């Protein structure tokens, strides 16, 4: 977790240049990387940035103090953070498409409670998600999706369950595509690249930066970063 690393005075290899560059995108951003490369730390960096910005708060310095982004970030907006970690939220709940859907609905309802959005009692994902979007201001929502492919890869050998889960995800991404004015930033990460498959009905609007050399060092450490940060 980014904030915990900074709060504990641990070594943090500054990746905030890439964080700043990505947050200027108006399209949803997708990056795939192998496991244990720091994707979840990156997600938590976005979460901290859009929650608290780069100014001191709660009696302590910003966790972005002395990092690249500190004097670049001028966005003082108040954002609603929808963080979806499919690997932890849905572990043990992906044995059927129905269970997956119910867990997803539960997460969206918790979001409503956290941000005082009226809850629509429905068993339909698109209905609930669109209801949320109708009740929040434009450009107020930040969506951070970690391990987006976890429920799919876990069921790769169970085609019926795979397709049922894919159908739920298609509904979710279609809502994203249809309501672009509601978002400030969307970031999606995982291991595999299903982006160009039918799972992403919004795939043509997603900016896939996975193989863009400008973001090649966004997670993981280079040789120079190891020498400069961990030399001692």
């Amino acid at each position: 977790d980014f904030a915990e690393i900074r709060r504990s005075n641990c070594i943090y290899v500054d990746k905030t240049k890439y964080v700043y560059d990505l947050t200027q995108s108006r399209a949803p951003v997708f990056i795939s990387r192998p496991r244990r490369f720091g994707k979840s730390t990156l997600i938590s960096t976005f979460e901290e940035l859009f929650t608290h910005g780069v100014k001191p708060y709660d009696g302590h310095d910003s966790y972005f103090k002395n990092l690249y982004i500190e004097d670049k970030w001028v966005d003082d907006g108040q954002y609603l953070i929808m963080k979806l970690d499919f690997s932890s939220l849905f572990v043990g709940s992906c044995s059927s498409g129905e269970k997956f859907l119910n867990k997803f609905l539960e997460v969206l309802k918790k979001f409503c409670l956290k941000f005082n959005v009226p809850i629509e009692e429905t068993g339909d994902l698109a209905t609930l998600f669109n209801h949320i979007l109708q009740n929040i201001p434009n450009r107020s929502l930040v969506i951070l999706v970690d391990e987006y492919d976890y429920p799919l890869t876990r069921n790769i050998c169970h085609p019926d369950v795979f397709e049922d889960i894919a159908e739920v995800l298609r509904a979710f991404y279609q809502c994203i595509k249809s309501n672009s004015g509601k978002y400030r930033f969307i970031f999606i990460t995982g291991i595999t690249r299903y982006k160009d498959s039918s799972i992403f009905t919004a795939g043509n609007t997603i900016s896939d930066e996975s193989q863009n050399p400008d973001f090649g060092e966004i997670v993981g450490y280079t040789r120079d970063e190891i020498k400069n940060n961990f030399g001692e």
Side-chain angles (χ1 to χ4, degrees):
D1 179 78
F2 170 79
E4 181 61 26
I5 291 170
R6 300 291 284 169
R7 185 163 50 243
S8 302
N9 199 32
C10 296
I11 294 173
Y12 172 71
V13 178
D14 190 355
K15 301 290 185 175
T16 60
K17 177 186 186 304
Y18 308 109
V19 168
Y20 177 80
D21 290 344
L22 284 181
T23 56
Q24 306 313 300
S25 173
R26 288 189 172 270
V29 175
F30 171 77
I31 287 181
S32 65
R33 287 294 187 274
R35 293 194 184 281
R36 314 308 302 169
F37 259 65
K39 299 186 299 297
S40 296
T41 301
L42 179 62
I43 287 277
S44 69
T45 307
F46 286 124
E47 183 178 19
E48 175 67 20
L49 182 65
F50 282 109
T51 302
H52 297 294
V54 297
K55 296 180 180 178
Y57 68 95
D58 291 347
H60 61 75
D61 286 334
S62 165
Y63 295 131
F64 294 97
K65 185 177 177 61
N66 297 325
L67 298 180
Y68 172 91
I69 202 172
E70 183 184 19
D71 61 354
K72 310 292 190 306
W73 187 256
V74 294
D75 189 338
D76 290 328
Q78 300 293 311
Y79 297 104
L80 313 178
I81 313 296
M82 182 179 290
K83 183 178 179 182
L84 302 169
D85 181 353
F86 285 7
S87 68
S88 64
L89 291 177
F90 304 131
V91 64
S93 302
C94 301
S95 58
S96 71
E98 183 180 6
K99 288 183 178 180
F100 178 78
L101 172 61
N102 290 336
K103 191 67 174 179
F104 208 145
L105 292 170
E106 181 182 321
V107 171
L108 293 181
K109 289 176 181 179
K110 287 181 179 178
F111 172 88
C112 292
L113 291 173
K114 180 176 181 180
F115 294 106
N116 297 316
V117 177
I119 294 179
E120 174 86 357
E121 290 299 338
T122 176
D124 181 70
L125 180 76
T127 299
L128 178 55
F129 192 67
N130 282 318
H131 170 78
I132 290 172
L133 297 178
Q134 292 166 9
N135 284 275
I136 62 174
N138 288 339
R139 284 182 61 78
S140 65
L141 182 60
V142 172
I143 300 180
L144 304 172
V145 183
D146 197 5
E147 302 282 3
Y148 85 100
D149 50 346
Y150 176 86
L152 299 170
T153 54
R154 187 165 182 236
N155 289 288
I156 198 75
C157 296
H158 304 91
D160 292 341
V161 178
F162 183 100
E163 183 53 37
D164 288 344
I165 291 174
E167 187 61 33
V168 175
L169 293 175
R170 273 192 285 270
F172 174 60
Y173 291 118
Q174 182 59 50
C175 292
I176 289 178
K177 182 179 181 179
S178 304
N179 296 275
S180 59
K182 291 294 183 178
Y183 313 110
R184 167 60 179 84
F185 181 65
I186 299 174
F187 183 76
I188 304 165
T189 188
I191 299 168
T192 51
R193 297 180 71 200
Y194 291 115
K195 190 193 80 68
D196 296 319
S197 73
S198 62
I199 294 161
F200 279 108
T201 54
N204 60 332
T205 67
I206 293 174
S207 178
D208 185 355
E209 305 294 348
S210 301
Q211 297 184 12
N212 183 346
D214 291 341
F215 298 104
E217 300 173 12
I218 190 169
V219 293
Y221 299 147
T222 66
R223 183 184 298 272
D224 285 342
E225 285 173 337
I226 292 174
K227 288 169 63 178
N228 294 334
N229 290 274
F230 299 95
E232 294 182 11

